Short mmCIF file of all heavy atoms in Angstrom, two decimals:
data_model
loop_
_atom_site.label_atom_id
_atom_site.label_comp_id
_atom_site.label_asym_id
_atom_site.label_seq_id
_atom_site.Cartn_x
_atom_site.Cartn_y
_atom_site.Cartn_z
N MET A 1 -4.13 14.46 3.77
CA MET A 1 -3.19 13.97 4.74
C MET A 1 -2.01 13.35 3.99
O MET A 1 -2.20 12.56 3.08
CB MET A 1 -3.84 12.91 5.64
CG MET A 1 -2.84 12.27 6.57
SD MET A 1 -3.36 10.76 7.43
CE MET A 1 -4.86 11.19 8.18
N LYS A 2 -0.83 13.72 4.37
CA LYS A 2 0.37 13.17 3.76
C LYS A 2 0.94 12.09 4.67
O LYS A 2 1.06 12.30 5.88
CB LYS A 2 1.40 14.27 3.54
CG LYS A 2 2.62 13.79 2.81
CD LYS A 2 3.54 14.95 2.48
CE LYS A 2 4.73 14.43 1.73
NZ LYS A 2 5.62 15.50 1.32
N VAL A 3 1.27 10.95 4.09
CA VAL A 3 1.79 9.83 4.85
C VAL A 3 3.20 9.53 4.34
O VAL A 3 3.42 9.47 3.13
CB VAL A 3 0.90 8.58 4.68
CG1 VAL A 3 1.47 7.39 5.42
CG2 VAL A 3 -0.51 8.88 5.15
N THR A 4 4.13 9.34 5.26
CA THR A 4 5.49 8.98 4.90
C THR A 4 5.72 7.52 5.24
O THR A 4 5.43 7.08 6.35
CB THR A 4 6.50 9.86 5.68
OG1 THR A 4 6.21 11.22 5.41
CG2 THR A 4 7.91 9.57 5.26
N LEU A 5 6.23 6.77 4.26
CA LEU A 5 6.49 5.34 4.45
C LEU A 5 7.97 5.05 4.25
O LEU A 5 8.61 5.67 3.41
CB LEU A 5 5.70 4.51 3.44
CG LEU A 5 4.18 4.57 3.49
CD1 LEU A 5 3.59 3.83 2.31
CD2 LEU A 5 3.68 3.97 4.78
N PRO A 6 8.49 4.07 4.97
CA PRO A 6 9.87 3.64 4.72
C PRO A 6 9.95 3.01 3.33
O PRO A 6 8.96 2.48 2.81
CB PRO A 6 10.16 2.61 5.80
CG PRO A 6 8.98 2.55 6.68
CD PRO A 6 7.89 3.37 6.08
N GLN A 7 11.12 3.04 2.72
CA GLN A 7 11.29 2.51 1.37
C GLN A 7 10.94 1.02 1.31
O GLN A 7 10.42 0.56 0.30
CB GLN A 7 12.73 2.73 0.89
CG GLN A 7 12.92 2.39 -0.58
CD GLN A 7 12.02 3.20 -1.51
OE1 GLN A 7 11.86 4.39 -1.34
NE2 GLN A 7 11.43 2.54 -2.48
N THR A 8 11.19 0.27 2.37
CA THR A 8 10.84 -1.15 2.36
C THR A 8 9.33 -1.36 2.25
O THR A 8 8.87 -2.28 1.59
CB THR A 8 11.37 -1.86 3.62
OG1 THR A 8 10.91 -1.17 4.78
CG2 THR A 8 12.88 -1.90 3.64
N ALA A 9 8.55 -0.47 2.89
CA ALA A 9 7.09 -0.57 2.79
C ALA A 9 6.63 -0.24 1.38
O ALA A 9 5.74 -0.89 0.84
CB ALA A 9 6.44 0.36 3.80
N VAL A 10 7.25 0.77 0.76
CA VAL A 10 6.90 1.14 -0.61
C VAL A 10 7.20 -0.01 -1.56
O VAL A 10 6.38 -0.37 -2.41
CB VAL A 10 7.67 2.42 -1.04
CG1 VAL A 10 7.45 2.72 -2.51
CG2 VAL A 10 7.25 3.60 -0.18
N ASP A 11 8.37 -0.63 -1.40
CA ASP A 11 8.74 -1.76 -2.25
C ASP A 11 7.79 -2.94 -2.07
O ASP A 11 7.40 -3.59 -3.04
CB ASP A 11 10.18 -2.20 -1.96
CG ASP A 11 11.20 -1.15 -2.34
OD1 ASP A 11 10.88 -0.27 -3.17
OD2 ASP A 11 12.32 -1.22 -1.81
N THR A 12 7.38 -3.19 -0.84
CA THR A 12 6.44 -4.28 -0.57
C THR A 12 5.09 -4.01 -1.20
O THR A 12 4.49 -4.90 -1.82
CB THR A 12 6.27 -4.47 0.95
OG1 THR A 12 7.55 -4.77 1.53
CG2 THR A 12 5.32 -5.60 1.26
N LEU A 13 4.59 -2.78 -1.09
CA LEU A 13 3.31 -2.43 -1.71
C LEU A 13 3.38 -2.55 -3.22
O LEU A 13 2.44 -3.03 -3.86
CB LEU A 13 2.90 -1.02 -1.32
CG LEU A 13 2.43 -0.85 0.12
CD1 LEU A 13 2.24 0.64 0.42
CD2 LEU A 13 1.15 -1.62 0.37
N LYS A 14 4.49 -2.14 -3.82
CA LYS A 14 4.65 -2.26 -5.28
C LYS A 14 4.64 -3.73 -5.69
O LYS A 14 4.05 -4.08 -6.71
CB LYS A 14 5.94 -1.58 -5.73
CG LYS A 14 5.85 -0.08 -5.72
CD LYS A 14 7.15 0.55 -6.21
CE LYS A 14 7.07 2.05 -6.21
NZ LYS A 14 8.30 2.68 -6.68
N ASP A 15 5.29 -4.60 -4.92
CA ASP A 15 5.29 -6.03 -5.22
C ASP A 15 3.89 -6.62 -5.12
O ASP A 15 3.49 -7.42 -5.96
CB ASP A 15 6.23 -6.78 -4.28
CG ASP A 15 7.70 -6.51 -4.57
OD1 ASP A 15 8.02 -6.06 -5.69
OD2 ASP A 15 8.53 -6.76 -3.66
N ILE A 16 3.15 -6.21 -4.10
CA ILE A 16 1.77 -6.71 -3.94
C ILE A 16 0.91 -6.28 -5.13
O ILE A 16 0.15 -7.08 -5.69
CB ILE A 16 1.17 -6.20 -2.62
CG1 ILE A 16 1.87 -6.88 -1.44
CG2 ILE A 16 -0.34 -6.46 -2.56
CD1 ILE A 16 1.53 -6.28 -0.09
N LEU A 17 1.02 -5.01 -5.54
CA LEU A 17 0.23 -4.52 -6.67
C LEU A 17 0.64 -5.21 -7.97
O LEU A 17 -0.20 -5.52 -8.81
CB LEU A 17 0.38 -3.01 -6.80
CG LEU A 17 -0.29 -2.19 -5.70
CD1 LEU A 17 0.05 -0.71 -5.86
CD2 LEU A 17 -1.78 -2.39 -5.70
N LYS A 18 1.92 -5.47 -8.14
CA LYS A 18 2.39 -6.13 -9.35
C LYS A 18 1.88 -7.56 -9.42
O LYS A 18 1.50 -8.05 -10.49
CB LYS A 18 3.92 -6.13 -9.39
CG LYS A 18 4.51 -6.67 -10.66
CD LYS A 18 6.01 -6.50 -10.79
CE LYS A 18 6.75 -6.58 -9.50
NZ LYS A 18 8.21 -6.66 -9.63
N ASP A 19 1.82 -8.26 -8.27
CA ASP A 19 1.34 -9.64 -8.23
C ASP A 19 -0.16 -9.74 -8.43
O ASP A 19 -0.67 -10.81 -8.74
CB ASP A 19 1.72 -10.29 -6.89
CG ASP A 19 3.21 -10.51 -6.76
OD1 ASP A 19 3.92 -10.49 -7.79
OD2 ASP A 19 3.67 -10.70 -5.62
N ASN A 20 -0.90 -8.64 -8.22
CA ASN A 20 -2.37 -8.65 -8.32
C ASN A 20 -2.85 -7.65 -9.36
O ASN A 20 -3.76 -6.87 -9.11
CB ASN A 20 -2.97 -8.31 -6.95
CG ASN A 20 -2.66 -9.36 -5.91
OD1 ASN A 20 -3.06 -10.50 -6.05
ND2 ASN A 20 -1.91 -8.99 -4.89
N GLN A 21 -2.28 -7.69 -10.55
CA GLN A 21 -2.61 -6.71 -11.58
C GLN A 21 -4.05 -6.83 -12.08
O GLN A 21 -4.61 -5.87 -12.57
CB GLN A 21 -1.65 -6.84 -12.76
CG GLN A 21 -0.27 -6.36 -12.44
CD GLN A 21 0.65 -6.41 -13.65
OE1 GLN A 21 0.22 -6.75 -14.74
NE2 GLN A 21 1.90 -6.08 -13.46
N ASP A 22 -4.66 -8.00 -11.94
CA ASP A 22 -6.02 -8.19 -12.43
C ASP A 22 -7.07 -7.67 -11.44
O ASP A 22 -8.25 -7.68 -11.75
CB ASP A 22 -6.28 -9.66 -12.73
CG ASP A 22 -6.07 -10.56 -11.52
OD1 ASP A 22 -5.28 -10.18 -10.64
OD2 ASP A 22 -6.69 -11.64 -11.47
N ARG A 23 -6.65 -7.19 -10.29
CA ARG A 23 -7.57 -6.68 -9.28
C ARG A 23 -7.48 -5.16 -9.21
O ARG A 23 -6.52 -4.57 -9.69
CB ARG A 23 -7.22 -7.29 -7.92
CG ARG A 23 -7.39 -8.80 -7.95
CD ARG A 23 -7.13 -9.40 -6.62
NE ARG A 23 -7.23 -10.86 -6.73
CZ ARG A 23 -6.54 -11.70 -6.02
NH1 ARG A 23 -5.69 -11.26 -5.12
NH2 ARG A 23 -6.68 -12.99 -6.18
N PRO A 24 -8.44 -4.51 -8.57
CA PRO A 24 -8.38 -3.05 -8.44
C PRO A 24 -7.12 -2.61 -7.69
O PRO A 24 -6.60 -3.34 -6.85
CB PRO A 24 -9.63 -2.72 -7.62
CG PRO A 24 -10.53 -3.88 -7.81
CD PRO A 24 -9.65 -5.08 -8.02
N HIS A 25 -6.64 -1.41 -7.98
CA HIS A 25 -5.43 -0.90 -7.36
C HIS A 25 -5.73 0.02 -6.18
O HIS A 25 -5.09 1.04 -6.00
CB HIS A 25 -4.58 -0.15 -8.40
CG HIS A 25 -3.97 -1.06 -9.39
ND1 HIS A 25 -3.75 -0.69 -10.68
CD2 HIS A 25 -3.53 -2.34 -9.31
CE1 HIS A 25 -3.20 -1.68 -11.34
NE2 HIS A 25 -3.07 -2.70 -10.52
N ASN A 26 -6.72 -0.35 -5.39
CA ASN A 26 -7.05 0.41 -4.19
C ASN A 26 -6.44 -0.27 -2.98
O ASN A 26 -6.42 -1.49 -2.88
CB ASN A 26 -8.55 0.48 -3.99
CG ASN A 26 -9.22 1.20 -5.14
OD1 ASN A 26 -8.61 2.02 -5.78
ND2 ASN A 26 -10.47 0.88 -5.38
N ILE A 27 -5.95 0.52 -2.07
CA ILE A 27 -5.38 -0.02 -0.84
C ILE A 27 -6.09 0.66 0.33
O ILE A 27 -6.17 1.88 0.39
CB ILE A 27 -3.87 0.27 -0.75
CG1 ILE A 27 -3.16 -0.42 -1.90
CG2 ILE A 27 -3.31 -0.20 0.58
CD1 ILE A 27 -1.70 -0.05 -1.99
N ARG A 28 -6.60 -0.13 1.23
CA ARG A 28 -7.25 0.40 2.43
C ARG A 28 -6.22 0.39 3.56
O ARG A 28 -5.62 -0.63 3.85
CB ARG A 28 -8.44 -0.45 2.80
CG ARG A 28 -9.23 0.14 3.96
CD ARG A 28 -10.49 -0.62 4.18
NE ARG A 28 -11.35 -0.36 3.03
CZ ARG A 28 -12.62 -0.73 2.96
NH1 ARG A 28 -13.17 -1.37 3.95
NH2 ARG A 28 -13.33 -0.48 1.89
N VAL A 29 -6.06 1.54 4.19
CA VAL A 29 -5.07 1.68 5.26
C VAL A 29 -5.79 2.02 6.55
O VAL A 29 -6.66 2.89 6.57
CB VAL A 29 -4.05 2.80 4.91
CG1 VAL A 29 -3.04 2.97 6.02
CG2 VAL A 29 -3.35 2.48 3.59
N TYR A 30 -5.40 1.35 7.61
CA TYR A 30 -5.97 1.60 8.92
C TYR A 30 -4.89 2.22 9.81
O TYR A 30 -3.80 1.68 9.95
CB TYR A 30 -6.46 0.29 9.54
CG TYR A 30 -6.95 0.43 10.95
CD1 TYR A 30 -8.19 1.01 11.22
CD2 TYR A 30 -6.19 -0.01 12.02
CE1 TYR A 30 -8.63 1.15 12.52
CE2 TYR A 30 -6.63 0.12 13.32
CZ TYR A 30 -7.85 0.70 13.57
OH TYR A 30 -8.30 0.84 14.84
N PHE A 31 -5.19 3.39 10.36
CA PHE A 31 -4.26 4.08 11.26
C PHE A 31 -4.69 3.81 12.69
O PHE A 31 -5.73 4.32 13.13
CB PHE A 31 -4.24 5.58 10.97
CG PHE A 31 -3.67 5.93 9.63
CD1 PHE A 31 -4.50 6.16 8.55
CD2 PHE A 31 -2.30 6.04 9.47
CE1 PHE A 31 -3.95 6.48 7.31
CE2 PHE A 31 -1.75 6.36 8.24
CZ PHE A 31 -2.58 6.58 7.17
N ALA A 32 -3.91 3.06 13.41
CA ALA A 32 -4.23 2.76 14.80
C ALA A 32 -3.64 3.82 15.72
O ALA A 32 -2.53 4.28 15.52
CB ALA A 32 -3.68 1.39 15.17
N GLY A 33 -4.42 4.21 16.71
CA GLY A 33 -3.93 5.12 17.72
C GLY A 33 -3.93 6.59 17.34
O GLY A 33 -3.28 7.39 17.98
N ILE A 34 -4.64 6.95 16.28
CA ILE A 34 -4.72 8.36 15.88
C ILE A 34 -6.10 8.88 16.24
O ILE A 34 -7.11 8.28 15.92
CB ILE A 34 -4.45 8.53 14.37
CG1 ILE A 34 -3.03 8.13 14.06
CG2 ILE A 34 -4.73 9.94 13.93
CD1 ILE A 34 -2.67 8.22 12.61
N GLY A 35 -6.13 10.03 16.87
CA GLY A 35 -7.41 10.67 17.16
C GLY A 35 -7.94 10.24 18.46
O GLY A 35 -8.97 10.17 18.90
#
């Protein structure tokens, strides 16, 4: 599945990952209203 994100969301995720470098780099995403 391909997901398209706005650039602001990408920048926010990069900031979160940079601030938490000592933790795993997995992100859990919940899609509401699909299916």
Side-chain angles (χ1 to χ4, degrees):
M1 174 193 308
K2 185 174 181 177
V3 177
T4 303
L5 297 173
Q7 189 59 43
T8 54
V10 173
D11 294 339
T12 301
L13 288 172
K14 286 181 180 180
D15 288 341
I16 291 170
L17 290 174
K18 185 172 33 170
D19 291 342
N20 295 298
Q21 289 184 4
D22 58 333
R23 298 184 183 148
H25 290 147
N26 298 333
I27 298 173
R28 185 173 292 189
V29 179
Y30 174 76
F31 293 97
I34 295 178

